[in-house]
């Protein structure tokens, strides 16, 4: 059965037989689409080698899903913000989900946690510092 | 009163501009640099730049706001909520400049703004308060003194900011070992948020519900309380869902709550809109918590069930009119109202803020739905301010109908480019405990703890297949073929649907699928 696809602006109508879907598609980054299907968001990207560094969220999720916490793990800023507190120093042993850095953005403080148990090998920020999204803050090995 | 300056931004500025327009009043917006193209600026009759993006350099600059009023000839100021809404210096500066402040007097703000003084007023009015410390602990009070007070009150205790509000500077302490770090965190948060690091202690009630009473007071001594709102669904002490009436408040309890609230308001000669917050324990006893001396975020649910326009009344009261509302109408709910606070946060990443550009946005409508938003497609959600982007409100003849309509509206809510809490709400409203209204202020945090970061509303296989089709169609038609329906439909028949005919399309993969394959 051939799908029947019609576009109106950012929104698409897809008919599979008589089954109707309302879909919105936007390109969030080169090679990365966000697609909303009847209000549920699906992230879609070009298959093959990963494009430019994915969003922090996605990176974290992949690690979570794949359980891939082998080797050094970099903890990056998920958004631009200010470092409120650095909770570890190089050489510290940390448990999985232990807090590493507190970042403030949009009036909320967010604690970034270690993805695994290990040792802190690098701390690249200090208290009060402003950071850009994706800046590397801490490395845990 | 002819022209109102709105000392705020976002959805609440839009809400007040609408009230101005309803009443034939002119409106003046103010904006920081990043808000130059914001909705509230475009909607207002006039707009004035007030400085750089950090709130301290713009939306919190009393001098610039007063100058903006003078420059445009505004004769009144509405502060919205947040920013300077509960700042007595701002209210006093407006008065000194000959501007009507649409809110309570500076004296009432100062009195109720001190949480410890407010507790004392409640006690004087004969209203019970949560057991706690009577005097504030200033910045120089040593931890040992606070620890002794905590011992006396009994653990677990809550540390709260004397100048507090909105859950800032609040910490739960389970045992003496956690006290010192909690004091430090609460003081630092309170200092940053309110410029005052004084704290006080309250006993932690077991599984309380948050019940609050909206009220209006005029300059002639009339106070009218409204049917209660319940705001027990909170994440880290921040309300995320509010509803009215509460499922657990009987008419008898409602009469007690509303008269207690009115007693406190009368005791402090309160004028304009305010809200008295209570905790309700498992035995049905209630305790005064604090008073918010401003319009609340969640005021629309009250408007939905009473038919009273609270912002319009704020303006009428500020210009000296008599509050001639029928008190029976105000405390009699007609149907049920629910509000979901839609935030620019990623619920699947621990509710991390998700600033950025809204690529596409369509808000729901239809029977019983009200959307109070301050943004649209194309808008940037800046990192400097609260990430609330919209308040979605549903009304139904009863609670069940309101929930059903909210679920329908959440499904219609389409927003891309940033992450929002919409998927979280779809999940939340389907929880059996929510449906049966069996919850307390710690319920949501406990529930989230149990989930351990499991994603909300993951797309199913069908969603993914449809998404892959859309992605394939998108690459085929967008950027390569002029994007018009004519080209889509009028092209060679064989092209219809394009490569999407190959289900899933070449080269595009759903991320979720790709991840599950790797596992």
């Amino acid at each position: 059965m051939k799908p029947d696809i019609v576009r109106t602006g950012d929104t698409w109508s897809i008919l599979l037989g008589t089954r109707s879907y309302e879909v919105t598609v936007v390109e969030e980054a080169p090679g990365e689409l966000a697609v909303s299907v009847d209000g549920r968001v699906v992230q879609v990207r070009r298959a093959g080698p990963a494009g430019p560094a994915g969003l922090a969220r996605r990176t974290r999720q992949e690690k979570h899903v794949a359980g891939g916490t082998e080797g050094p793990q970099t903890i990056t800023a998920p958004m631009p913000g200010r470092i409120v507190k650095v909770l570890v120093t190089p050489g510290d042993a940390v448990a999985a989900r232990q807090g590493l850095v507190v970042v403030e953005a949009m009036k909320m403080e967010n604690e970034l946690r270690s993805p695994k148990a290990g040792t802190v090998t690098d701390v690249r920020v200090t208290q009060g510092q402003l950071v850009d999204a994706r800046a590397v803050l801490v490395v845990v090995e | 009163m002819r022209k109102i300056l709105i000392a705020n931004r976002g959805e609440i500025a839009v809400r007040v501009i609408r009230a101005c327009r309803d009443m034939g009043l002119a409106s003046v917006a103010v904006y920081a640099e990043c808000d130059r193209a914001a909705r509230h600026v475009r909607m207002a009759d006039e707009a004035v730049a007030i400085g750089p993006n950090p709130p301290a350099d713009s939306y919190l600059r009393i001098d610039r706001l007063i100058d903006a009023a003078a420059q445009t000839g505004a004769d009144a100021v509405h502060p919205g909520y947040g920013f300077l809404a509960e700042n007595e210096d701002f209210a006093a500066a407006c008065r000194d400049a000959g501007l009507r402040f649409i809110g309570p007097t500076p004296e009432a703000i100062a009195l109720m703004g001190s949480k410890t003084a407010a507790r004392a007023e409640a006690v004087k009015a004969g209203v019970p308060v949560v057991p706690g410390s009577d005097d504030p602990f200033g910045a120089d009070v040593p931890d040992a003194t606070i620890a002794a007070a905590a011992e006396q009150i009994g653990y677990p205790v809550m540390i709260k900011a004397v100048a507090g509000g909105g859950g800032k500077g609040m910490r739960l302490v389970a045992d003496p070992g956690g006290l010192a770090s909690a004091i430090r965190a609460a003081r630092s948060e309170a200092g940053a948020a309110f410029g005052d690091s004084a704290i006080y202690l309250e006993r932690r009630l077991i599984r309380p519900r948050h019940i609050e009473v909206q009220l209006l007071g005029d300059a002639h001594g009339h106070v009218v309380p409204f049917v209660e709102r319940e705001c027990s669904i909170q994440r880290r002490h921040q309300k995320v869902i509010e509803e009215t009436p509460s499922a657990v408040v009987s008419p008898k309890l409602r009469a007690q709550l509303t008269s207690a609230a009115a007693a406190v308001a009368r005791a402090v000669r309160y004028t304009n809109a305010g809200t008295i917050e209570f905790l309700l324990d498992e035995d049905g006893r209630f305790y005064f918590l604090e008073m918010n001396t401003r319009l609340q975020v969640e005021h629309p649910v009250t408007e939905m069930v009473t038919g009273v326009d609270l912002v319009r009344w704020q303006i009428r009261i500020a210009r000296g009119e008599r509050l001639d509302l029928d008190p029976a109408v105000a405390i009699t709910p007609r149907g049920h109202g629910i509000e979901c606070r839609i935030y620019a946060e990623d619920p699947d990443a621990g509710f991390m803020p998700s600033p950025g550009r809204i690529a596409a946005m369509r808000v729901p409508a239809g029977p019983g739905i009200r959307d109070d938003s301050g943004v649209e497609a194309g808008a940037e959600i800046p990192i400097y301010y609260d990430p609330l982007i919209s308040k979605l409100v549903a009304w139904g003849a009863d609670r069940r109908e309101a929930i059903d309509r909210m679920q329908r509206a959440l499904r219609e809510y389409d927003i891309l480019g940033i992450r929002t809490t919409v998927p979280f709400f779809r999940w939340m409203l389907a929880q059996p405990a929510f449906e049966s209204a069996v919850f307390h202020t710690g319920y949501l945090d406990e529930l989230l703890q149990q989930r351990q970061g499991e994603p909300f509303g993951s797309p199913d296989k069908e969603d993914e297949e449809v998404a892959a089709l859309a992605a394939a169609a998108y690459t085929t038609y967008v950027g390569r073929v002029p994007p018009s329906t004519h080209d889509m439909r009028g092209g060679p028949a064989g092209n219809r649907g394009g490569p999407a005919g190959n289900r899933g399309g070449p080269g595009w993969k759903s991320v979720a699928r790709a991840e599950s394959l790797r596992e």
Side-chain angles (χ1 to χ4, degrees):
Chain A
M1 175 181 33
K2 249 188 174 167
D4 179 352
I5 305 178
V6 177
R7 178 185 182 210
T8 58
D10 285 334
T11 302
W12 302 68
S13 167
I14 297 184
L15 291 179
L16 289 177
T18 58
R19 179 76 172 88
S20 166
Y21 301 89
E22 181 169 57
V23 181
T24 306
V25 185
V26 300
E27 198 153 358
E28 291 194 327
E32 295 184 0
L33 298 181
V35 183
S36 154
V37 181
D38 290 337
R40 279 190 204 287
V41 179
V42 184
Q43 287 169 296
V44 183
R45 70 166 170 235
R46 225 178 274 277
L55 297 174
R57 170 181 181 275
R58 193 159 301 156
T59 313
R60 272 205 317 280
Q61 218 175 40
E62 280 167 10
K63 279 175 186 160
H64 178 73
V65 171
T69 51
E70 300 286 309
Q73 300 291 309
T74 57
I75 288 75
T76 55
M79 66 215 141
R82 189 176 63 87
I83 303 296
V84 177
K85 207 172 296 170
V86 179
L87 304 167
V88 291
T89 50
D92 284 1
V94 291
R97 295 180 59 77
Q98 182 177 333
L100 302 173
V101 178
V102 181
V103 186
E104 187 206 275
M106 298 172 112
K107 290 170 60 189
M108 291 296 289
E109 293 190 1
N110 292 282
E111 192 173 75
L112 302 182
R113 298 173 177 193
S114 179
K116 65 168 188 176
T119 307
V120 176
T121 56
D122 199 1
V123 176
R124 300 194 190 170
V125 287
T126 55
Q127 192 173 324
Q129 188 178 333
L130 294 171
V131 292
D132 290 328
R134 299 177 201 176
V136 174
L137 311 177
V138 176
V139 181
V140 175
E141 203 162 337
Chain B
M1 196 187 289
R2 294 169 55 185
K3 190 187 282 187
I4 298 178
L5 178 133
I6 298 124
N8 217 303
R9 65 181 300 282
E11 72 83 18
I12 194 60
V14 169
R15 167 73 184 90
V16 178
I17 292 167
R18 285 178 169 148
C20 290
R21 204 147 278 160
D22 288 347
M23 301 174 76
L25 299 166
S27 54
V28 181
V30 293
Y31 62 94
E33 280 161 8
C34 64
D35 279 338
R36 170 61 190 82
R39 184 95 211 274
H40 73 283
V41 173
R42 285 178 280 133
M43 268 181 85
D45 296 312
E46 293 176 68
V48 181
I50 51 165
N53 297 331
D57 299 329
S58 48
Y59 295 106
L60 294 174
R61 283 287 296 263
I62 294 176
D63 54 341
R64 291 192 182 152
L65 292 163
I66 301 288
D67 285 351
Q71 186 191 334
T72 52
D75 48 14
V77 172
H78 195 300
Y81 54 72
F83 293 128
L84 295 167
E86 292 178 279
N87 183 310
E88 66 264 29
D89 295 337
F90 182 51
C94 290
R95 188 164 67 184
D96 294 346
L99 300 164
R100 279 183 198 270
F101 181 76
I102 302 172
T105 60
E107 293 74 23
I109 296 174
L111 180 62
M112 302 315 268
S114 161
K115 303 305 169 195
T116 44
R119 282 165 55 89
E121 288 297 335
V123 172
K124 267 200 279 178
V127 176
V129 298
V130 182
S133 56
D134 293 330
D135 297 314
F137 298 117
D140 50 349
V141 174
D143 287 4
T145 310
I146 301 172
E151 284 300 334
Q152 209 160 34
I153 293 163
Y155 286 90
V157 293
M158 294 296 296
I159 300 180
K160 293 188 171 184
V162 170
K168 303 247 156 41
M170 202 189 276
R171 286 291 184 284
L172 170 64
V173 187
D175 53 63
L179 189 66
S181 69
I183 290 173
R184 197 174 55 235
R187 281 198 192 283
S188 120
E189 215 171 283
F194 316 112
D196 178 359
S197 62
I199 52 172
Y200 69 107
L201 302 177
E202 265 181 14
R203 182 188 296 160
R204 165 69 164 189
L205 296 182
I206 307 303
R207 305 163 73 84
R209 299 175 79 115
H210 176 113
I211 306 286
E212 62 184 32
V213 175
Q214 167 78 55
L215 52 85
L216 290 172
D218 70 12
H220 312 281
H222 302 110
V223 171
V224 175
F226 287 75
V227 52
E228 80 285 343
R229 294 187 288 250
E230 168 148 21
C231 319
S232 300
I233 303 296
Q234 304 182 0
R235 197 180 70 79
R236 303 202 324 201
H237 310 302
Q238 304 262 9
K239 299 164 186 171
V240 297
I241 298 179
E242 300 100 341
E243 57 183 307
T244 180
S246 164
V248 296
V249 172
S250 64
K252 184 174 164 228
L253 181 56
R254 178 167 306 133
Q256 291 170 349
L257 281 163
T258 49
S259 47
V264 175
R266 285 192 190 101
V268 300
R269 300 172 164 279
Y270 194 82
T271 53
N272 218 285
T275 294
I276 308 253
E277 299 188 333
F278 297 98
L279 287 180
L280 180 69
D281 73 12
E282 290 181 299
D283 302 322
R285 283 179 304 225
F286 63 86
Y287 306 88
F288 170 87
L289 197 58
E290 62 180 54
M291 179 167 198
N292 294 138
T293 56
R294 54 167 157 83
L295 185 69
Q296 302 270 100
V297 173
E298 58 272 26
H299 75 275
V301 290
T302 300
E303 296 184 325
M304 296 293 265
V305 301
T306 61
V308 175
D309 184 331
L310 291 167
V311 178
R312 189 184 182 101
W313 264 114
Q314 282 195 291
I315 294 169
R316 292 182 63 181
I317 288 168
R319 59 186 189 198
E321 288 185 40
R322 275 176 192 279
L323 186 53
D324 58 3
L325 267 176
D326 181 352
V329 167
I331 59 162
T332 310
R334 193 184 132 268
H336 196 95
I338 300 181
E339 171 180 282
C340 291
R341 296 190 186 189
I342 312 293
Y343 276 99
E345 290 175 344
D346 185 349
D348 289 334
F351 293 86
M352 195 70 80
S354 177
R357 187 176 160 275
I358 298 178
M361 178 169 177
R362 184 179 41 216
V363 296
I369 296 302
R370 165 174 168 179
D371 174 75
D372 277 26
S373 56
V375 294
E376 315 129 311
E380 287 278 344
I381 303 295
I383 62 163
Y384 303 97
Y385 317 111
D386 191 271
L388 178 68
I389 54 176
S390 132
K391 300 181 318 202
L392 187 59
V393 182
W395 180 87
D398 54 27
R399 192 168 186 270
R400 184 68 254 173
E401 188 174 80
I403 293 174
D404 291 343
R405 284 175 163 175
M406 181 64 89
Q407 282 286 23
R408 178 245 302 166
L410 287 166
R411 183 188 153 125
E412 282 180 30
Y413 211 116
D414 219 354
I415 184 159
L416 291 174
I418 57 167
R419 300 289 163 255
T420 74
T421 48
V422 168
F424 157 75
F425 284 118
R426 291 174 73 165
W427 168 85
M428 182 73 235
L429 265 61
Q431 295 304 304
F434 181 80
E435 293 184 324
S436 52
V438 181
F439 44 65
H440 56 95
T441 56
Y443 159 76
L444 176 54
D445 285 327
E446 287 172 18
L447 195 60
L448 292 175
Q449 193 83 35
Q450 289 164 18
R451 285 174 57 82
Q452 304 235 332
E454 224 175 291
F456 292 95
S458 338
D460 58 20
K461 230 184 168 65
E462 189 182 344
D463 294 333
E464 286 172 14
E465 281 182 16
V466 172
L469 284 174
Y474 180 90
T475 20
T476 308
Y477 296 113
V478 179
R480 294 186 198 171
V481 176
S484 78
T485 1
H486 173 79
D487 286 321
M488 287 277 317
R489 301 185 132 189
N495 259 0
R496 188 163 174 137
N502 169 11
R503 286 190 72 146
W508 289 98
K509 259 189 183 169
S510 140
V511 171
R513 179 81 63 78
E515 282 171 357
S516 66
L517 287 175
R518 264 211 320 275
E519 239 178 342

